[in-house]
Amino acid sequence: MKKFGTIIGLGYCLPDNIVNNNDLEKMVDTSDQWIRERTGILRRRILDREKPSSDMGIEASLKAIKNSGIEASEIDLVIVSTESPDYLTPSMACIIQGGIDAVNAAAFDLNAACSGFVYALTVADQFIQTGMYKNILVVACEGLSKVVDWKDRNTCVLFGDGAGACVLTASDEPGILGYDIGADGKKYKNITIPCTHFSEEELFKRKNKRDQVIYMEGREVFKFAVNAMTDSVNKLLREQDLSIEDIDWIIPHQANMRIINNSVSKMNFPIEKVIITLDEYGNTSSASIPIALAEAYDSGKIKSGQKIILVGFGGGLTWASTLIQWI
Ligand code: COA
């Protein structure tokens, strides 16, 4: 009998430290008004510099496991989505696996930038479909503040830190109904964080400093994002033989309110049925979707039987969407 990957527990973690737009006015040439009007972001959470980002992933995971009702030892696999890992090796997944005592789990990281959580859910669901694993912990854990150039107003006003996690289990009931993941690697230069290779071009973009910080062509990413999210959702709906009216909630990647407004308007989907957290948390990269999902669930918005689309885009450039029927 076909198995479905079904979410049975959610958790998230945000650092306590709140940084308002007014605080950023003291650091770069920007204003609260510009950030609000151009992005919709009011504030973001920033992790203490000396703390590892994996701490947030561990806390989010422990909550997700507690809410799922299973034991950490029953988890077969930990997949962590991150583009801001504490180490290149070990993976964040190994650090989190050790931190939560998931002693029987395999562990690996996956980097699809801000699309990473939906990519990771897709990969996890494949392990469930083949029957290889029963319980999989999918975590998105991002300490973007550590890779942001705090002197670059084009990027530093956008990002925040956080982690979200879910336990996916093999079930006879849906579950994840379908997904669409994709990439356009020819556009990779639009968002970069160099690691071991600094081309002349990357050095130039960063004012000749070998800092491992984000560089982004905001306008190009904006145009890509609106089309990528709309096309991906439409493809998913076609494949599932559903129309947009069948969908109860859309949870998009939380990057920019104008991107979200443009995308859902192209989909003919009412903005009232879109979960928004970016005003409070900014863009937490791949953690933004699971944080928004967990918050929406905790607040009672998401109910049994509802159909929810998660859709993201990001560095790579990548995109990803999935359709879930809530148990
Ligand atoms: N404060 C004040 N002015 C700023 C600013 C800031 N924080 N950041 C940029 N500006 C300025 C620019 O320098 C530019 O000035 P100029 O006209 O004198 O050159 C002006 O504002 C307009 O810049 P532009 O880049 O066209 O703004 P925008 O409306 O496209 O908004 C982004 C910029 C980054 C908010 C927007 O392009 C965006 O959200 N892009 C997608 C980014 C994204 O989602 N990234 C995450 C990928 S997962």
Side-chain angles (χ1 to χ4, degrees):
M1 187 179 180
K2 177 182 162 65
K3 292 286 180 192
F4 293 91
T6 298
I7 294 175
I8 54 166
L10 289 162
Y12 66 103
C13 171
L14 291 153
D16 294 333
N17 180 28
I18 299 172
V19 174
N20 294 307
N21 292 343
N22 294 331
D23 299 320
L24 296 176
E25 288 177 357
K26 296 171 200 141
M27 299 165 67
V28 285
D29 180 14
T30 191
S31 65
D32 174 48
Q33 188 188 356
W34 191 96
I35 303 170
R36 277 172 194 256
E37 287 177 359
R38 305 308 291 167
T39 72
I41 298 167
L42 309 184
R43 54 193 73 89
R44 69 287 292 144
R45 303 295 183 90
I46 301 295
L47 188 66
D48 294 344
R49 191 75 205 165
E50 65 278 6
K51 285 195 181 156
S53 306
S54 50
D55 279 4
M56 296 184 293
I58 290 171
E59 192 175 323
S61 299
L62 289 172
K63 285 181 189 163
I65 294 165
K66 188 166 179 237
N67 290 334
S68 75
I70 68 164
E71 300 294 325
S73 58
E74 294 176 73
I75 295 170
D76 303 306
L77 174 64
V78 177
I79 307 178
V80 176
S81 156
T82 185
E83 61 173 331
S84 49
D86 292 337
Y87 298 83
L88 276 183
T89 191
S91 63
M92 290 284 253
C94 280
I95 298 170
I96 292 170
Q97 186 253 26
I100 62 172
D101 282 332
V103 290
N104 296 310
F108 67 87
D109 283 0
L110 175 158
N111 179 354
C114 303
S115 312
F117 180 74
V118 179
Y119 259 75
L121 270 186
T122 305
V123 172
D125 193 61
Q126 295 300 309
F127 279 104
I128 285 173
Q129 302 279 329
T130 60
M132 183 164 172
Y133 290 136
K134 181 162 184 262
N135 297 314
I136 303 178
L137 178 70
V138 178
V139 190
C141 182
E142 303 281 11
L144 273 303
S145 64
K146 295 171 189 290
V147 292
V148 156
D149 180 352
W150 289 102
K151 295 189 191 92
D152 178 10
R153 70 175 183 175
N154 292 300
T155 49
C156 77
V157 302
L158 305 174
F159 297 102
D161 299 330
C166 75
V167 175
L168 203 65
T169 198
S171 163
D172 296 335
E173 307 289 329
I176 293 176
L177 296 174
Y179 17 77
D180 170 55
I181 59 174
D184 183 354
K186 291 203 187 303
K187 297 195 172 122
Y188 83 91
K189 288 179 183 172
N190 283 322
I191 310 178
T192 49
I193 309 174
C195 177
T196 59
H197 174 64
F198 282 79
S199 65
E200 287 302 316
E201 191 180 348
E202 296 293 347
L203 285 170
F204 180 74
K205 285 177 187 171
R206 288 168 185 77
K207 301 183 179 60
N208 288 325
K209 281 192 289 172
R210 282 186 176 270
D211 288 347
Q212 285 166 313
V213 290
I214 296 178
Y215 173 84
M216 184 174 69
E217 297 282 350
R219 278 179 223 185
E220 292 305 311
V221 177
F222 192 110
K223 281 185 275 177
F224 165 82
V226 173
N227 290 330
M229 291 212 289
T230 311
D231 293 349
S232 187
V233 167
N234 287 338
K235 185 173 173 211
L236 191 59
L237 289 171
R238 270 196 313 276
E239 280 173 8
Q240 295 296 316
D241 203 16
L242 292 171
S243 71
I244 197 76
E245 289 78 27
D246 297 314
I247 304 305
D248 295 288
W249 296 103
I250 289 184
I251 305 183
H253 172 45
Q254 310 281 315
N256 185 317
M257 202 54 221
R258 290 185 298 135
I259 292 177
I260 294 174
N261 277 329
N262 284 350
S263 310
V264 297
S265 129
K266 276 183 85 175
M267 294 170 202
N268 290 320
F269 191 75
I271 193 71
E272 299 73 38
K273 296 207 277 179
V274 179
I275 305 290
I276 306 292
T277 60
L278 72 85
D279 48 344
E280 288 297 321
Y281 309 137
N283 179 348
T284 56
S285 186
S286 66
S288 85
I289 289 176
I291 291 171
L293 174 64
E295 264 203 355
Y297 180 74
D298 287 352
S299 72
K301 283 182 179 159
I302 292 176
K303 299 189 171 57
S304 180
Q306 289 186 331
K307 290 191 175 65
I308 302 155
I309 286 181
L310 315 181
V311 57
F313 66 92
L317 296 177
T318 55
W319 66 86
S321 63
T322 184
L323 173 68
I324 298 172
Q325 181 163 309
W326 207 256
I327 47 160

